Amino acid sequence: MNLEIQHIIYLLSSVTFILGLKMLSNAKTAKKGNSLAAVGMIAAILTAIVFHDGAVSPLVYGLIFGAIAIGTVVGWLTAKRVQMTKMPELVSLFNGMGGACAALIGLVEFHHNTSNPTNMAVILAGMVIGSVSFSGSMIAWAKLNGTLKNAIRLPQYNLINTAIMFGLFAYSAWMIWAGTADEMHLYILFFASIAYGILFVLPIGGADMPVVISLLNSFTGLAAAFGGFLYGNQVMLTGGILVGSAGTLLTLVMCKAMNRPLFNVIFGAFGAGTESAGVAGPQGNVKEVGPSDLAVQLNYSKKVIIVPGYGLAVAQAQHVIKELETILESRGVEVTYAIHPVAGRMPGHMNVLLAESNVEYDKLKEMEDINPEFAQTDVVLVVGANDVVNPAAKNDPSSPIYGMPILDVENAKACIVNKRSMNAGYAGIENELFFRDKTQMLFGDAKKVLTELVTELKALD
Amino acid sequence: MIEFFTENKDMIFIVILMIFVGVEVIGKVPAVLHTPLMSGANAIHGVVVVGAILLMLNTETDNYLALALGTIAVFLGTLNVVGGFVVTDRMLEMFKKK
């Protein structure tokens, strides 16, 4: 009877995962979808414990509940306390934890299963993928965090990585074929997988991290699914495969939004062009503008579009930008926000940040919708964004970002760019937009200069 | 090969069908929701914690290494689940507020 109840609950949990994910892809239902999947998850976990057949010692129950309790408190507090700008790296961190969990399952289950080639294949696959996902996510986390700043590339890294990847395959295949029970081989495979995860993510530039995290996310899903196969557990299998498949599609969708084929992300076409492009960029004079002049200019505009970028997030300027919007609207200026698909550090990151400071959802326009509007716009205010407004993506085939869809800010009557300095953007390339006639630079920390701008605007009344 | 299929056919059915469900379910997601969606999916693969729990339940009490590793696995899996859902909820909270 226990088994039947267990199966029914697992089935219901699987349905909540599917519905939850479906609801997550629509802004109106997303929050409910997340909660629904969470309820399904709790049900699945409780079911696994409560309806287990066979004697279990109190020690084991104690350890399980202890680990769950501590994990819940730590996870909850970390997730609640993190600043919204730090969110992408947190997702990466949690993803790594899931991968590590799958890897540990493989390590422990190995010696029970050396006589059964199918089980062994499933265990090794889960362990290898879980380990790669774990170490890769940790590197991605460190990169987004700023701990690891530069892409580190060994000479011939693509060759080395591909060799290790095939080596992992071959070694696993050999272990299964030989049916070895020697745990030394297991540990060699484990550490080689960890090393592969590190070497896989290290050479990839920070701008491509969202894609990498999404890819590693689907890896962990796959690792969970292998666990499900091993235990004959349907909810792990459905949840894991669901994430594996949806995650892969999401990775491809993100690549498409950045116009970067996945192959280039992984095998790093980005790095090659960066060094040369960084040195020899467009030269010329830039025009500067101060907050007081800009205040007048904005005050007499009809239509203003704000283009937020990661610089805004770093400066924590999302609240003052909302203040700017409010004061301009009160003067009869129409204000909207142009959100590039990869603005911030992750797709949708900027939307979350602006929503945090109460900017209305309808005011955030996606690239395709807003691009035609730039021509009728008086002033575009670019805050801390660079690569997503770089015309080189359109007219310089040698540029590493050539082909990436950009926001057509140059069509507006005037373009104000707020930056801390003339340094190149995240992709490390110069931006000729800054040297255009219609462009004026507003130098300084986004929060500081925007606050000054708001003060000036208030004084104009 | 045939033997493998016959032994595991239910599992293989689930795998193949779920691949299609996964693709179908997030087919038309707007770019705005990419991050929350990734984060939500991240929480869902935390279901791997169920595997860690099953591992613990089937481990003999005197196998200390397995118990230790299993406990760590349950802890890490729980982090993934709880952290994943809570951080997704926080992101989506931002969207709802008007």
Side-chain angles (χ1 to χ4, degrees), chain A residues 251-267:
Chain A
T251 311
L252 294 173
V253 170
M254 282 186 186
C255 282
K256 209 176 151 212
M258 297 202 275
N259 201 27
R260 304 250 299 120
L262 187 58
F263 184 87
N264 285 7
V265 172
I266 294 172
F267 294 101

PDB file of all heavy atoms in Angstrom, chain A residues 251-267:
ATOM      1  N   THR A 251      19.151  27.637 -22.757  1.00  0.00           N
ATOM      2  CA  THR A 251      20.523  28.007 -23.118  1.00  0.00           C
ATOM      3  C   THR A 251      20.588  28.475 -24.567  1.00  0.00           C
ATOM      4  O   THR A 251      21.190  29.497 -24.879  1.00  0.00           O
ATOM      5  CB  THR A 251      21.462  26.794 -22.933  1.00  0.00           C
ATOM      6  OG1 THR A 251      21.228  26.229 -21.659  1.00  0.00           O
ATOM      7  CG2 THR A 251      22.911  27.201 -23.053  1.00  0.00           C
ATOM      8  N   LEU A 252      19.928  27.717 -25.438  1.00  0.00           N
ATOM      9  CA  LEU A 252      19.947  28.071 -26.860  1.00  0.00           C
ATOM     10  C   LEU A 252      19.209  29.386 -27.114  1.00  0.00           C
ATOM     11  O   LEU A 252      19.644  30.211 -27.916  1.00  0.00           O
ATOM     12  CB  LEU A 252      19.328  26.942 -27.689  1.00  0.00           C
ATOM     13  CG  LEU A 252      20.131  25.636 -27.670  1.00  0.00           C
ATOM     14  CD1 LEU A 252      19.365  24.523 -28.359  1.00  0.00           C
ATOM     15  CD2 LEU A 252      21.491  25.828 -28.331  1.00  0.00           C
ATOM     16  N   VAL A 253      18.093  29.587 -26.394  1.00  0.00           N
ATOM     17  CA  VAL A 253      17.335  30.837 -26.548  1.00  0.00           C
ATOM     18  C   VAL A 253      18.186  32.029 -26.137  1.00  0.00           C
ATOM     19  O   VAL A 253      18.220  33.071 -26.802  1.00  0.00           O
ATOM     20  CB  VAL A 253      16.033  30.781 -25.715  1.00  0.00           C
ATOM     21  CG1 VAL A 253      15.359  32.138 -25.670  1.00  0.00           C
ATOM     22  CG2 VAL A 253      15.080  29.749 -26.276  1.00  0.00           C
ATOM     23  N   MET A 254      18.935  31.861 -25.020  1.00  0.00           N
ATOM     24  CA  MET A 254      19.813  32.942 -24.556  1.00  0.00           C
ATOM     25  C   MET A 254      20.902  33.220 -25.577  1.00  0.00           C
ATOM     26  O   MET A 254      21.226  34.376 -25.846  1.00  0.00           O
ATOM     27  CB  MET A 254      20.491  32.539 -23.255  1.00  0.00           C
ATOM     28  CG  MET A 254      19.630  32.640 -22.047  1.00  0.00           C
ATOM     29  SD  MET A 254      20.675  32.299 -20.632  1.00  0.00           S
ATOM     30  CE  MET A 254      19.461  32.278 -19.359  1.00  0.00           C
ATOM     31  N   CYS A 255      21.473  32.177 -26.119  1.00  0.00           N
ATOM     32  CA  CYS A 255      22.510  32.345 -27.137  1.00  0.00           C
ATOM     33  C   CYS A 255      21.952  33.137 -28.308  1.00  0.00           C
ATOM     34  O   CYS A 255      22.607  34.009 -28.862  1.00  0.00           O
ATOM     35  CB  CYS A 255      22.991  30.990 -27.649  1.00  0.00           C
ATOM     36  SG  CYS A 255      24.107  30.191 -26.527  1.00  0.00           S
ATOM     37  N   LYS A 256      20.710  32.817 -28.658  1.00  0.00           N
ATOM     38  CA  LYS A 256      20.095  33.488 -29.789  1.00  0.00           C
ATOM     39  C   LYS A 256      19.899  34.966 -29.485  1.00  0.00           C
ATOM     40  O   LYS A 256      20.133  35.819 -30.337  1.00  0.00           O
ATOM     41  CB  LYS A 256      18.751  32.818 -30.102  1.00  0.00           C
ATOM     42  CG  LYS A 256      18.389  32.941 -31.570  1.00  0.00           C
ATOM     43  CD  LYS A 256      17.121  32.185 -31.881  1.00  0.00           C
ATOM     44  CE  LYS A 256      16.421  32.848 -33.039  1.00  0.00           C
ATOM     45  NZ  LYS A 256      14.969  32.720 -32.957  1.00  0.00           N
ATOM     46  N   ALA A 257      19.493  35.273 -28.252  1.00  0.00           N
ATOM     47  CA  ALA A 257      19.291  36.667 -27.865  1.00  0.00           C
ATOM     48  C   ALA A 257      20.601  37.450 -27.955  1.00  0.00           C
ATOM     49  O   ALA A 257      20.609  38.639 -28.225  1.00  0.00           O
ATOM     50  CB  ALA A 257      18.737  36.743 -26.442  1.00  0.00           C
ATOM     51  N   MET A 258      21.724  36.775 -27.735  1.00  0.00           N
ATOM     52  CA  MET A 258      23.013  37.455 -27.802  1.00  0.00           C
ATOM     53  C   MET A 258      23.651  37.283 -29.172  1.00  0.00           C
ATOM     54  O   MET A 258      24.742  37.785 -29.411  1.00  0.00           O
ATOM     55  CB  MET A 258      23.956  36.889 -26.747  1.00  0.00           C
ATOM     56  CG  MET A 258      23.484  37.113 -25.352  1.00  0.00           C
ATOM     57  SD  MET A 258      24.843  37.031 -24.198  1.00  0.00           S
ATOM     58  CE  MET A 258      24.948  35.314 -23.899  1.00  0.00           C
ATOM     59  N   ASN A 259      22.986  36.531 -30.010  1.00  0.00           N
ATOM     60  CA  ASN A 259      23.493  36.225 -31.336  1.00  0.00           C
ATOM     61  C   ASN A 259      24.879  35.586 -31.280  1.00  0.00           C
ATOM     62  O   ASN A 259      25.773  35.940 -32.027  1.00  0.00           O
ATOM     63  CB  ASN A 259      23.516  37.490 -32.203  1.00  0.00           C
ATOM     64  CG  ASN A 259      23.540  37.144 -33.666  1.00  0.00           C
ATOM     65  OD1 ASN A 259      23.056  36.075 -34.046  1.00  0.00           O
ATOM     66  ND2 ASN A 259      24.103  38.003 -34.481  1.00  0.00           N
ATOM     67  N   ARG A 260      25.046  34.718 -30.295  1.00  0.00           N
ATOM     68  CA  ARG A 260      26.323  34.018 -30.155  1.00  0.00           C
ATOM     69  C   ARG A 260      26.046  32.523 -30.209  1.00  0.00           C
ATOM     70  O   ARG A 260      25.434  31.988 -29.296  1.00  0.00           O
ATOM     71  CB  ARG A 260      26.965  34.333 -28.802  1.00  0.00           C
ATOM     72  CG  ARG A 260      27.173  35.781 -28.551  1.00  0.00           C
ATOM     73  CD  ARG A 260      28.616  36.197 -28.577  1.00  0.00           C
ATOM     74  NE  ARG A 260      29.465  35.572 -27.602  1.00  0.00           N
ATOM     75  CZ  ARG A 260      30.525  34.830 -27.911  1.00  0.00           C
ATOM     76  NH1 ARG A 260      30.811  34.576 -29.155  1.00  0.00           N
ATOM     77  NH2 ARG A 260      31.275  34.319 -26.971  1.00  0.00           N
ATOM     78  N   PRO A 261      26.486  31.838 -31.258  1.00  0.00           N
ATOM     79  CA  PRO A 261      26.247  30.399 -31.293  1.00  0.00           C
ATOM     80  C   PRO A 261      26.878  29.725 -30.069  1.00  0.00           C
ATOM     81  O   PRO A 261      27.949  30.157 -29.618  1.00  0.00           O
ATOM     82  CB  PRO A 261      26.966  29.943 -32.564  1.00  0.00           C
ATOM     83  CG  PRO A 261      27.244  31.170 -33.351  1.00  0.00           C
ATOM     84  CD  PRO A 261      27.229  32.324 -32.413  1.00  0.00           C
ATOM     85  N   LEU A 262      26.221  28.706 -29.542  1.00  0.00           N
ATOM     86  CA  LEU A 262      26.704  28.024 -28.348  1.00  0.00           C
ATOM     87  C   LEU A 262      28.137  27.536 -28.541  1.00  0.00           C
ATOM     88  O   LEU A 262      28.962  27.570 -27.629  1.00  0.00           O
ATOM     89  CB  LEU A 262      25.782  26.843 -28.018  1.00  0.00           C
ATOM     90  CG  LEU A 262      26.061  26.118 -26.704  1.00  0.00           C
ATOM     91  CD1 LEU A 262      25.980  27.054 -25.526  1.00  0.00           C
ATOM     92  CD2 LEU A 262      25.099  24.964 -26.519  1.00  0.00           C
ATOM     93  N   PHE A 263      28.426  27.106 -29.739  1.00  0.00           N
ATOM     94  CA  PHE A 263      29.768  26.617 -30.056  1.00  0.00           C
ATOM     95  C   PHE A 263      30.818  27.695 -29.768  1.00  0.00           C
ATOM     96  O   PHE A 263      31.852  27.429 -29.173  1.00  0.00           O
ATOM     97  CB  PHE A 263      29.816  26.199 -31.534  1.00  0.00           C
ATOM     98  CG  PHE A 263      31.132  25.584 -31.931  1.00  0.00           C
ATOM     99  CD1 PHE A 263      31.354  24.226 -31.764  1.00  0.00           C
ATOM    100  CD2 PHE A 263      32.144  26.363 -32.475  1.00  0.00           C
ATOM    101  CE1 PHE A 263      32.560  23.649 -32.115  1.00  0.00           C
ATOM    102  CE2 PHE A 263      33.358  25.801 -32.837  1.00  0.00           C
ATOM    103  CZ  PHE A 263      33.559  24.438 -32.648  1.00  0.00           C
ATOM    104  N   ASN A 264      30.508  28.945 -30.152  1.00  0.00           N
ATOM    105  CA  ASN A 264      31.452  30.040 -29.918  1.00  0.00           C
ATOM    106  C   ASN A 264      31.607  30.342 -28.437  1.00  0.00           C
ATOM    107  O   ASN A 264      32.678  30.717 -27.978  1.00  0.00           O
ATOM    108  CB  ASN A 264      30.985  31.317 -30.622  1.00  0.00           C
ATOM    109  CG  ASN A 264      31.213  31.249 -32.105  1.00  0.00           C
ATOM    110  OD1 ASN A 264      31.603  30.200 -32.616  1.00  0.00           O
ATOM    111  ND2 ASN A 264      30.962  32.341 -32.787  1.00  0.00           N
ATOM    112  N   VAL A 265      30.504  30.206 -27.706  1.00  0.00           N
ATOM    113  CA  VAL A 265      30.575  30.464 -26.277  1.00  0.00           C
ATOM    114  C   VAL A 265      31.536  29.472 -25.636  1.00  0.00           C
ATOM    115  O   VAL A 265      32.426  29.834 -24.868  1.00  0.00           O
ATOM    116  CB  VAL A 265      29.179  30.330 -25.625  1.00  0.00           C
ATOM    117  CG1 VAL A 265      29.281  30.397 -24.116  1.00  0.00           C
ATOM    118  CG2 VAL A 265      28.260  31.418 -26.139  1.00  0.00           C
ATOM    119  N   ILE A 266      31.381  28.212 -25.986  1.00  0.00           N
ATOM    120  CA  ILE A 266      32.175  27.168 -25.339  1.00  0.00           C
ATOM    121  C   ILE A 266      33.608  27.161 -25.845  1.00  0.00           C
ATOM    122  O   ILE A 266      34.553  27.014 -25.088  1.00  0.00           O
ATOM    123  CB  ILE A 266      31.509  25.797 -25.549  1.00  0.00           C
ATOM    124  CG1 ILE A 266      30.182  25.775 -24.801  1.00  0.00           C
ATOM    125  CG2 ILE A 266      32.405  24.676 -25.033  1.00  0.00           C
ATOM    126  CD1 ILE A 266      29.350  24.582 -25.082  1.00  0.00           C
ATOM    127  N   PHE A 267      33.761  27.328 -27.143  1.00  0.00           N
ATOM    128  CA  PHE A 267      35.111  27.238 -27.684  1.00  0.00           C
ATOM    129  C   PHE A 267      35.760  28.603 -27.868  1.00  0.00           C
ATOM    130  O   PHE A 267      36.808  28.731 -28.489  1.00  0.00           O
ATOM    131  CB  PHE A 267      35.125  26.407 -28.969  1.00  0.00           C
ATOM    132  CG  PHE A 267      34.775  24.985 -28.706  1.00  0.00           C
ATOM    133  CD1 PHE A 267      33.501  24.513 -28.975  1.00  0.00           C
ATOM    134  CD2 PHE A 267      35.698  24.122 -28.135  1.00  0.00           C
ATOM    135  CE1 PHE A 267      33.152  23.203 -28.692  1.00  0.00           C
ATOM    136  CE2 PHE A 267      35.364  22.815 -27.844  1.00  0.00           C
ATOM    137  CZ  PHE A 267      34.085  22.349 -28.130  1.00  0.00           C
TER     138      PHE A 267
END
